[in-house]
Amino acid sequence: MTKDALTRSIERVDLPALVCELWPESGARPGRAGVCRAVWRGDTHPSLSLFQARGMWFWKDHGSGESGNAFHLLLKAGMSKDAAAELLKNRAGSGETVAHEASIKHRASLRPVRGLTPAEKRALEAAQQRLDEEAIRGRGITLEQARQVGLGKSRQGDLVIPILGPTGEVQAIKARLREPREGFRYRYLTPERGAPAWYSPGFGQDAGRPVIVMEGELNAITSWFALEGRADLLGIPGVEGRVPWEGLTGRRVYLYADGDPGGRRAIGRWKEEGEAVKVAMFVLEPLEGGLDACEYAARWGQQGLAGQLLQE
C-alpha cells in the first residue's frame, strides 16, 4: 500500500528539532533523544520523553500518560489538524528552506500574541467576575489588587492569571489549580501561546527603576504591589522558564528564586545568560523560613516583604 504524504512526513521528521524550534524553552535538542518540558501545558519539570523506535520518532508525556508520533504531539499542543499536517509535510517534502520558513510561521502562531480571541476574552471576563477572596487566599494581595491585574476564578475554583506582556497586553492565560492534577499545580488555558513571562503594569516606562526577575508569576504580582512602583517585575514561569533578556539591556537587574535546589539552579542559569548579553545583575537572598513571596506577604504583610526585597 502506498503511504500518503502525511505518513511519510511523520516518519521522516526530526521530532526533537521540531520541538526545539517551536518551543525553545522546552530544552529539546535536534536529533537527540531525551526528556524535555511540555511547555504547552505549563510543564515546570521535564516530563516529555522523545525517543526513536524502528527509525521513527515518538513521544511520551509522563505527566499525562499520553504518547504518539509528531502529528499527535502537535494536536495535543493545540494545533489544528490542517495546520499540523501542513507543517509536517512542508518540513519533510519541500526542501530545507521552505521547511524552515514553515516552521517559523507556525512557531509564531504558538508564541505569545497581542490580544485575545473573542472567545478567550469572554472566558477571561467571566472568570474575573467570579473572583472572590477565597480564590486569592494565601497569595498576599487584596481583592482590589487582584482585580487591578485582572486575576479571575474558574468555575472549578482555580485562580486564573492573565500573563501580561511588556505593553500591558494579555499574552497568555494560566490557571493555578485549586487541587493539583497528575502532580501539576499550574496549566495554561491558552496552550498555543507558549509560556511567556509576566510583566508588571507600566514595565519600562521609567528606565531608572530596577528590574526584579522572579520565580513565579504570582510571586512577582505580590512583590510588585509590595514595592509600590519602586521596581519593575518579571514573573518567570517556574525555574525552567525563559528570561526575556532582550528587553533588559541597560537596566539594573536583580534575580530572585526560592532557596531550594531548583531555585539555585535557576539563579545560576540566569546569571550565565545575563552575563552573555552584558546585563548588570545582582542576586537577592531567599526569603527567611523558606517562604516564597506570596507566603511571606501573607504572613508578614506586604511591607515586610518589601523590606526583605529592598535589602541589597
Side-chain angles (χ1 to χ4, degrees), residues 10-11 13-17 19 28-29 31-36 47-62 65-70 73:
I10 293 171
E11 292 175 344
V13 71
D14 181 341
L15 183 54
V19 173
R29 295 293 180 267
R32 294 186 183 182
V35 182
C36 63
S47 60
L48 182 75
S49 290
L50 305 176
F51 59 94
Q52 277 186 303
R54 303 178 300 281
M56 180 174 162
W57 283 100
F58 295 91
W59 59 275
K60 179 175 178 60
D61 189 333
H62 298 283
E66 297 167 313
S67 60
N69 58 36
L73 185 142

Side-chain angles (χ1 to χ4, degrees), residues 293-307:
C294 290
E295 293 166 339
Y296 198 95
R299 180 175 297 185
W300 303 110
Q302 291 182 1
Q303 288 188 345
L305 174 62

